[in-house]
Amino acid sequence: QSVLTQPPSASGTPGQTVTISCSGSRSNVGSNYVHWFQHLPGTAPKLLIYRSNERPSGVPDRFSGSKSGTSASLAIRGLRSEDEAEYYCAAWDDSLLWVFGGGTKLTVL
Amino acid sequence: QVQLVQSGAEVKKPGASVKVSCEASGYIFTDYYIHWVRQAPGQGLEWMGTINPDSGNTRIAQNFQGRATMTRDTSTRIVYIDLTGLRSEDTAMYYCARGGISAPDVFQKWGQGTMVTVSS
């Protein structure tokens, strides 16, 4: 059972906008940044969004993040087939540990 | 460029121990935390703990306290995780990841992963 709650699956057609949610508590999402990782099978996870809404260099601006209170979300605009992957949210918890969401498998129909 | 290269796959019997290494390059080794994260088959990511390569201080997640030890060798720029008392549930891909200058800083770069299989 993951500390952060994500929907297990999401889907969309090419060109659509998909949003993935991440819910936590005051000690993690509520008081610290949320980060998002993209995980393709057989590869290492890749940092997609950091500090809730910042993109590392090289990440397309189709990906965006937001946070409000104890919830955060990742939006993918202009969905592409290569976006099909597992997406994880993560946050530092004030109990001095990192916590992850259970992951959301995104399917591009 | 920043690189983390992990040791190869391991197959262990229940009750045994495994030591996975993570060799860092492309940055000042002692400036950035290294974290260990694992993913069991069909499961999500699970944070195991972190080590400050400068001081050697570690913080181990509660689920792994007493079983996991993290160490580093500053001369070779290698971080290790040692997991004892292996059980079938420890079968997973183990990743090291470079964090920031403090433990709450996000993992910016990941190693390629090391598959550990626990089977009799």
Side-chain angles (χ1 to χ4, degrees):
Chain A
Q1 193 80 354
S2 300
V3 174
L4 305 183
T5 301
Q6 295 180 237
S9 63
S11 63
T13 55
Q16 272 190 331
T17 295
V18 168
T19 301
I20 298 171
S21 62
C22 173
S23 176
S25 65
R26 204 179 337 180
S27 65
N28 40 66
V29 175
S31 54
N32 295 291
Y33 292 118
V34 175
H35 317 277
W36 292 90
F37 297 91
Q38 181 189 59
H39 194 192
L40 294 158
T43 69
K46 171 188 168 186
L47 181 62
L48 202 62
I49 296 288
Y50 68 101
R51 293 184 183 175
S52 303
N53 58 12
E54 303 278 353
R55 276 187 313 277
S57 62
V59 173
D61 61 5
R62 302 187 296 107
F63 296 90
S64 63
S66 64
K67 191 189 93 164
S68 178
T70 58
S71 293
S73 62
L74 170 72
I76 308 172
R77 182 172 45 87
L79 201 60
R80 296 184 178 185
S81 58
E82 58 260 37
D83 297 334
E84 192 160 287
E86 192 98 22
Y87 292 85
Y88 291 90
C89 61
W92 177 254
D93 190 286
D94 291 341
S95 305
L96 305 184
L97 73 161
W98 276 90
V99 292
F100 283 95
T104 298
K105 183 173 173 57
L106 175 64
T107 302
V108 181
L109 302 168
Chain B
Q1 74 279 24
V2 174
Q3 268 198 304
L4 299 173
V5 178
Q6 298 182 223
S7 48
E10 302 266 11
V11 179
K12 296 291 183 180
K13 293 197 183 306
S17 299
V18 69
K19 192 167 188 173
V20 177
S21 68
C22 171
E23 183 176 2
S25 61
Y27 68 96
I28 299 173
F29 178 69
T30 50
D31 277 1
Y32 297 88
Y33 278 71
I34 293 287
H35 301 263
W36 288 93
V37 177
R38 76 176 187 181
Q39 183 178 35
Q43 304 297 310
L45 300 173
E46 181 179 23
W47 183 76
M48 300 180 70
T50 186
I51 182 168
N52 178 333
D54 187 23
S55 64
N57 290 341
T58 61
R59 179 145 191 99
I60 309 294
Q62 188 168 13
N63 283 354
F64 302 99
Q65 286 177 8
R67 286 209 304 141
T69 304
M70 297 175 190
T71 56
R72 94 295 189 213
D73 184 332
T74 55
S75 64
T76 57
R77 305 166 59 90
I78 298 177
V79 173
Y80 301 92
I81 184 168
D82 201 332
L83 191 60
T84 61
L86 289 170
R87 30 203 193 234
S88 58
E89 311 89 88
D90 293 316
T91 293
M93 184 70 83
Y94 289 75
Y95 294 100
C96 63
R98 195 197 82 165
I101 60 173
S102 64
D105 291 339
V106 72
F107 327 127
Q108 302 156 350
K109 182 74 176 179
W110 297 62
Q112 83 277 18
T114 297
M115 187 67 207
V116 174
T117 302
V118 183
S119 173
S120 54

